Amino acid sequence: MNHTILLNKRPVGRPDLSDFTLITEEKPQIQSGEILLKTTYVSVDPYLRGRMSDAKSYAAPFQLHKPISSGIIAQVVESNHSGFSKGDYVSALLEWKEYQKSTGEGLTKVDTTKVAQSAYLGVLGMTGLTAYLGLTEIGKPKKGETIVVSGAAGAVGSIVGQIAKIMGCRVVGIAGTDEKVEMLQSDFGFDVAINYNTTNNMAEAIAKACPDGVDVYFDNVGGPISDAVLFNINKFARMIICGAISVYNETSLPKSISVQPFLVKNSALMQGFIVGNYAAKFPEAIKQLAAWLEDGKLTYTETVVEGFENIPQAFINLFDGKNKGKMVVKI
Ligand SMILES: NC(=O)c1ccc[n+]([C@@H]2O[C@H](COP(=O)([O-])OP(=O)(O)OC[C@H]3O[C@@H](n4cnc5c(N)ncnc54)[C@H](OP(=O)(O)O)[C@@H]3O)[C@@H](O)[C@H]2O)c1
């Protein structure tokens, strides 16, 4: 038998378990030219929240009562396809199913002999690409500059900070617990980290952590944290708007300060960013990330939840900051 997770209803506000349904169905039979995949790791990502709503966005909404999809690592368990052998591991955007068949289209084979499977969902997958391409293509950090990263202890943020350190920057991270603050400084080499949940005046705390002001801001969260950064930007600052998790579950338009005066006064750049826009640069970015990983210049952490049925809960946990580094589900 096979298990599949469907979108049961569109979440209103914070997602909850009743928004998802787990069903049991027949395991698929493969035909000629097809392979049978067994899911081994599932990536849960904040952007999936956007696809669960039917608002217009850069990615099509998930359909109600149909399987949800995300980045998945799977093993080929049966093959009627000349390009894939039993035992191969692949990475792809696949459905939340224990078993699914494929024609091979859109699958990338991954080498799991030197690197853990789950790394292809994190540092060597969309996470790493987002961090590297957002930072280098829009942030363009220069040696000696100061960069602030929000959502710093998460999947993207923890990689951004390390890359900025490799590039010779002063790196300040913002995260939600003292444990994460400690991890950023001791494991990931951030110069300073701030716990936004225990800091009353974020603008002042950022000013103190950035005595020379903020040259680059890698924004994963939006909302009041990002407003506080604006008070500290330097002339010609670059702000990469990668995500806005603090507002993804809002049901009405959130109140925010006007960014225009800050941008004008500082001749600053604020640019929205979608990693898919840079697909042509994925091969060179992955090559660089893999080289840093192999040299020990880059490291990563992940939070692993076990069990197919726990995918929805792992996804919901992102909004409560329950992950350190990349959140993945091991099947
Ligand atoms: N533009 C793109 O192409 C692209 C690609 C990938 C990801 N993204 C975006 O990048 C951001 C990070 O993604 P990720 O996969 O690396 O997720 P992540 O940071 O690993 O996980 C989400 C983190 O967000 C923080 N958070 C949750 N609610 C918050 C709130 N109200 N205020 C501040 N922080 C909050 C939590 O950490 P704390 O404990 O620190 O609160 C949580 O651990 C997301 O906004 C995502 O949508 C964009």
Side-chain angles (χ1 to χ4, degrees), residues 44-47 58 126-127 130 151-157 174-177 180 196-197 218-222 225 241-248 273-276 317-327:
V44 287
D45 307 271
Y47 86 92
Y58 61 92
M126 185 185 70
T127 297
T130 302
V156 172
I174 301 172
T177 66
K180 290 183 179 185
Y196 70 89
N197 277 319
F218 197 105
D219 188 4
N220 285 312
V221 306
I225 292 173
I241 311 303
C242 174
I245 193 167
S246 75
V247 297
Y248 289 171
F273 164 83
I274 295 298
V275 65
N317 286 352
L318 291 168
F319 297 93
D320 295 327
K322 291 201 176 152
N323 60 308
K324 279 189 266 173
K326 180 80 192 95
M327 178 79 100

Side-chain angles (χ1 to χ4, degrees), residues 112-261:
T112 58
T113 56
K114 294 197 193 101
V115 179
Q117 290 176 45
S118 54
Y120 293 99
L121 298 177
V123 63
L124 295 182
M126 185 185 70
T127 297
L129 290 168
T130 302
Y132 179 81
L133 291 166
L135 188 61
T136 55
E137 295 292 320
I138 300 172
K140 298 186 170 69
K142 295 194 242 354
K143 195 171 176 197
E145 287 191 327
T146 299
I147 164 164
V148 171
V149 188
S150 59
V156 172
S158 57
I159 305 294
V160 168
Q162 293 180 78
I163 298 174
K165 282 310 295 178
I166 293 170
M167 293 179 161
C169 298
R170 174 178 172 78
V171 180
V172 175
I174 301 172
T177 66
D178 286 346
E179 201 186 337
K180 290 183 179 185
V181 160
E182 171 60 25
M183 176 188 80
L184 289 173
Q185 295 171 124
S186 56
D187 299 353
F188 294 123
F190 282 54
D191 295 284
V192 184
I194 302 167
N195 178 350
Y196 70 89
N197 277 319
T198 54
T199 302
N200 291 328
N201 188 329
M202 278 301 289
E204 255 177 45
I206 293 163
K208 196 170 158 218
C210 306
D212 297 328
V214 178
D215 300 298
V216 178
Y217 174 45
F218 197 105
D219 188 4
N220 285 312
V221 306
I225 292 173
S226 301
D227 291 350
V229 174
L230 276 171
F231 287 94
N232 291 287
I233 58 171
N234 286 336
K235 195 171 177 190
F236 301 124
R238 287 85 68 200
M239 286 169 277
I240 306 123
I241 311 303
C242 174
I245 193 167
S246 75
V247 297
Y248 289 171
N249 294 329
E250 294 285 343
T251 48
S252 57
L253 213 53
K255 286 202 172 61
S256 191
I257 57 171
S258 277
V259 298
Q260 290 84 350

